[in-house]
Amino acid sequence: MGGYGSGRVGERELVTNLRFLNVRWMNKHGLLKSKGVKTINWSCNGKPWGKMEVLVEEDCLHLIYKESRNDGPWKERDIVINLLKTPCQFGGYQYWFECPVCRRRVCCVYLLDTWCCRHCGHLAYPSENEDELERLRSKAVKLKEKLGGEYWIKPKGMHHKTYDRLREAFLEAEAKADDAFDEKLRKLNQRLISFGKFHP
């Protein structure tokens, strides 16, 4: 869990540059089903990027880890993140974190000077740094991955309606990306022509 990205959006840090916890990921992997101490490992480009012990209780998590700032001494941290639950329509519960700063209900908390949600940390998603063409290409790539990489063949076990919907969405995203590329190329050619007129 976790990852690493590069760059900023203006003065805003990217969420992919930070260690974070995702409550849905933790619930999916059974980390919230029983009380006790669990270990969370982060990785960066396939290499270890830190770990943390998490003491799971009924209504909160204790985050237990060591931290060093500005090459200073290592300090033990024991941070409490409250767990919230909302009932699902067909039974069971949806888990949430309570942001330690603003107390809003969130899926992810990030480690900056303190643990907080994306809004309190003024964080940005990598997609906010992409232009229209990059966003469309990224969307097409994600849809193609859902289709198993070969959009013309229905993945085994996938319903026909789901396959048809994803395939149509992929082809539409590809077509829009091609149009965006053509438009970007047209504008570039116009700039080159204009440059040639004013700088013979």
Side-chain angles (χ1 to χ4, degrees), residues 23-24 27 32-33 58 83-86 93-97 105-107:
V23 72
R24 292 179 180 171
N27 188 40
L32 303 178
K33 291 182 178 179
E58 181 66 28
L83 273 177
L84 306 175
K85 293 191 294 185
T86 55
Y93 293 93
Q94 173 69 59
Y95 284 93
W96 306 87
F97 290 133
R105 195 173 62 191
V106 295
C107 290

Side-chain angles (χ1 to χ4, degrees), residues 1-191:
M1 192 173 94
Y4 183 80
S6 60
R8 290 168 176 257
V9 178
E11 293 301 317
R12 298 166 64 194
E13 186 71 73
L14 294 178
V15 296
T16 46
N17 289 347
L18 302 170
R19 295 173 178 86
F20 67 95
L21 290 175
N22 184 311
V23 72
R24 292 179 180 171
W25 181 91
M26 293 183 70
N27 188 40
K28 179 180 178 180
H29 288 80
L31 300 180
L32 303 178
K33 291 182 178 179
S34 60
K35 298 179 182 179
V37 178
K38 318 291 172 66
T39 300
I40 299 292
N41 293 287
W42 289 283
S43 63
C44 169
N45 297 325
K47 297 180 180 179
W49 194 36
K51 68 177 182 178
M52 178 175 61
E53 303 297 324
V54 179
L55 173 59
V56 180
E57 298 189 354
E58 181 66 28
D59 57 357
C60 69
L61 303 178
H62 286 267
L63 312 183
I64 305 165
Y65 59 98
K66 290 183 179 181
E67 182 180 58
S68 174
R69 294 191 178 276
N70 301 320
D71 296 323
W74 288 88
K75 296 182 179 180
E76 295 278 354
R77 298 294 187 193
D78 184 352
I79 308 297
V80 177
I81 306 288
N82 289 330
L83 273 177
L84 306 175
K85 293 191 294 185
T86 55
C88 297
Q89 184 176 359
F90 299 105
Y93 293 93
Q94 173 69 59
Y95 284 93
W96 306 87
F97 290 133
E98 181 182 71
C99 173
V101 177
C102 68
R103 302 300 177 187
R104 80 175 70 195
R105 195 173 62 191
V106 295
C107 290
C108 293
V109 287
Y110 302 86
L111 178 57
L112 291 117
D113 291 331
T114 184
W115 287 89
C116 63
C117 68
R118 183 174 64 89
H119 302 283
C120 292
H122 304 289
L123 305 175
Y125 291 118
S127 59
E128 295 179 57
N129 208 26
E130 297 178 342
D131 61 17
E132 182 183 7
L133 175 58
E134 291 172 328
R135 284 195 296 271
L136 288 168
R137 288 295 187 201
S138 295
K139 181 179 180 180
V141 167
K142 290 178 182 178
L143 288 167
K144 191 174 182 179
E145 288 175 351
K146 288 183 178 180
L147 290 165
E150 299 178 346
Y151 69 90
W152 58 90
I153 301 175
K154 185 181 76 66
K156 185 177 180 180
M158 180 178 287
H159 291 292
H160 284 282
K161 286 185 178 180
T162 302
Y163 168 70
D164 291 341
R165 176 175 56 81
L166 291 175
R167 181 175 179 275
E168 184 177 346
F170 166 73
L171 292 173
E172 182 180 358
E174 278 277 276
K176 288 183 177 180
D178 289 341
D179 290 343
F181 177 79
D182 291 341
E183 179 65 16
K184 193 172 185 177
L185 188 62
R186 184 186 66 79
K187 289 181 178 180
L188 178 60
N189 286 333
Q190 285 184 339
R191 289 179 63 186

